[in-house]
């Protein structure tokens, strides 16, 4: 609202110490009861999101505010679930197979607005989606356990397989 550049001290979960950088905020977004700010991060020179609960300190920056000419939020979020997006990400055709017991759920509560049912068989249903594979998509697929299976693309299928194998590893 104030079009003010900020010095942000931010500590991701995996970092031992917070880092500080100049940030130009554009948008607040809620996803699964957690709030995020999207803006231009000068240290990486691209749009990034920050979880509000991991911001340690905010002060005004003397840097001139950089207005948003980088992204349109409606377009930016249209091809994804959640808030995680690699700057090189592009939408992919995702083919999922749902068990018969999961079909009604998939029909009445689609994973993404691009979801289309390709066919319904006696034992399963096939769905096609067109979106950016990201952390939130993987978490959504894993949430359904054996009732939802990735058919394509192969890299996503292998990523899911690797994560399931990690779950089963004894440490």
């Amino acid at each position: 609202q104030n079009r003010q550049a900020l010095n942000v001290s931010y500590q991701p979960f995996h970092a031992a110490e917070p880092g500080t950088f100049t940030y130009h905020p554009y948008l607040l977004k809620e996803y699964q009861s957690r709030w995020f700010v999207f803006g231009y991060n000068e240290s990486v020179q691209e749009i990034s999101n920050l979880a509000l609960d991991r911001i340690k300190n905010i002060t005004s920056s003397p840097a001139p505010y950089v207005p948003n000419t980088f992204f349109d939020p409606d377009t930016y979020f249209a091809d994804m679930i959640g808030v995680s997006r690699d700057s090189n990400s592009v939408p992919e055709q995702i083919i999922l197979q749902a068990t018969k017991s999961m079909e009604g759920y998939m029909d009445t509560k689609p994973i993404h607005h691009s979801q289309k049912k390709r066919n319904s068989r006696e034992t399963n249903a096939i769905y096609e989606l067109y979106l950016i594979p990201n952390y939130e998509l993987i978490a959504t697929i894993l949430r359904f356990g054996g009732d939802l299976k990735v058919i394509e693309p192969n890299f996503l299928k292998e990523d899911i397989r690797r994560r399931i194998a990690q779950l089963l590893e004894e440490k």
Side-chain angles (χ1 to χ4, degrees):
Q1 181 177 344
N2 295 336
R3 300 188 187 285
Q4 172 70 52
L6 304 171
N7 289 322
V8 176
S9 177
Y10 185 77
Q11 187 171 6
F13 287 136
H14 64 276
E17 296 292 324
T20 302
F21 47 87
T22 302
Y23 195 74
H24 306 266
Y26 304 137
L27 171 78
L28 283 172
K29 183 169 178 69
E30 184 268 340
Y31 181 72
Q32 291 192 341
S33 300
R34 180 168 278 164
W35 284 91
F36 298 84
V37 60
F38 284 77
Y40 180 71
N41 183 332
E42 283 191 14
S43 67
V44 293
Q45 298 185 337
E46 63 183 28
I47 295 296
S48 67
N49 71 40
L50 306 176
L52 295 187
D53 62 332
R54 287 174 249 158
I55 294 174
K56 300 301 180 188
N57 193 33
I58 300 173
T59 57
S60 292
S61 170
Y65 181 74
V66 176
N68 179 16
T69 59
F70 301 98
F71 83 120
D72 170 52
D74 292 335
T75 304
Y76 186 86
F77 294 108
D79 295 330
M80 61 187 268
I81 297 171
V83 295
S84 302
R85 182 181 184 141
D86 217 347
S87 59
N88 305 333
S89 299
V90 294
E92 302 269 352
Q93 181 183 41
I94 312 289
I95 308 296
L96 302 175
Q97 178 181 294
T99 59
K100 201 63 176 172
S101 62
M102 182 67 153
E103 183 176 8
Y105 185 85
M106 292 287 289
D107 290 347
T108 59
K109 192 163 175 40
I111 291 174
H112 186 257
H113 66 83
S114 68
Q115 180 175 307
K116 294 180 176 102
K117 187 190 285 187
R118 271 191 174 178
N119 61 47
S120 180
R121 302 175 187 150
E122 193 173 310
T123 58
N124 60 50
I126 304 295
Y127 295 89
E128 179 179 325
L129 299 90
Y130 188 73
L131 70 160
I132 293 170
N134 63 2
Y135 175 81
E136 289 87 353
L137 174 62
I138 291 167
T140 299
I141 293 168
L142 288 170
R143 182 180 80 204
F144 295 114
D147 287 326
L148 193 60
K149 184 161 87 170
V150 175
I151 305 300
E152 293 176 14
N154 201 51
F155 76 86
L156 182 58
K157 183 192 311 189
E158 291 306 316
D159 190 358
I160 297 285
R161 188 184 320 272
R162 180 186 54 78
R163 290 169 188 264
I164 291 170
Q166 286 175 334
L167 284 170
L168 299 172
E169 283 179 9
E170 291 192 35
K171 306 258 175 172

